[in-house]
Amino acid sequence: MYYQGQTITATFTADSDFTVSGITTEQFDGISGLVDQNDKTFGINAYRCDINRNAITSPALALGATLFICIDSTDDSAEIKEVTKFEASKS
C-alpha cells in the first residue's frame, strides 16, 4: 500500500479579486513507502434461523422443511458479501 499526504497551512486575505497572501508547508512525517502485507482474521457466527433472522434452537429440522442459515460478522467493519461454499451434514 502506498500513502502520501501533505499538511499545509494557508493564510489568505480575500477581497473582490480573492488573493492568497501566503502558504506554508510542513514536512510530511508518515508512511510514504511500501508497507508489508498483514493478515487480519475476521470472525463469523453461523446459526439456524427463520426467515426473519431469529435464531432457532429447536425443534429438529423436519423432512421437507426449509433450512435457513444466518451468517453474521463479529467485526462491524467487515461485511459478508458472498458465500462460495456451504456444506451441511446430519449429526
Side-chain angles (χ1 to χ4, degrees), residues 47-57 66-70:
Y47 54 94
R48 183 175 162 216
C49 59
D50 63 19
I51 196 167
N52 296 315
R53 299 187 58 82
N54 298 309
I56 297 175
T57 56
T66 303
L67 173 64
F68 292 98
I69 301 294
C70 293

Side-chain angles (χ1 to χ4, degrees), residues 22-90:
I23 295 178
T24 60
T25 63
E26 298 174 13
Q27 177 69 33
F28 176 69
D29 188 25
I31 300 170
S32 60
L34 184 62
V35 177
D36 291 336
Q37 180 179 352
N38 292 314
D39 292 329
K40 166 104 171 109
T41 302
F42 295 98
I44 63 164
N45 290 325
Y47 54 94
R48 183 175 162 216
C49 59
D50 63 19
I51 196 167
N52 296 315
R53 299 187 58 82
N54 298 309
I56 297 175
T57 56
S58 64
L61 189 64
L63 186 61
T66 303
L67 173 64
F68 292 98
I69 301 294
C70 293
I71 303 172
D72 300 318
S73 173
T74 58
D75 186 329
D76 291 338
S77 65
E79 178 182 339
I80 301 167
K81 291 190 176 203
E82 180 180 2
V83 176
T84 57
K85 185 176 181 180
F86 179 82
E87 293 183 22
S89 61
K90 183 178 177 181

Side-chain angles (χ1 to χ4, degrees), residues 9-25:
T9 302
T11 304
F12 61 92
T13 302
D15 58 22
S16 62
D17 295 327
F18 188 81
T19 59
V20 177
S21 62
I23 295 178
T24 60
T25 63

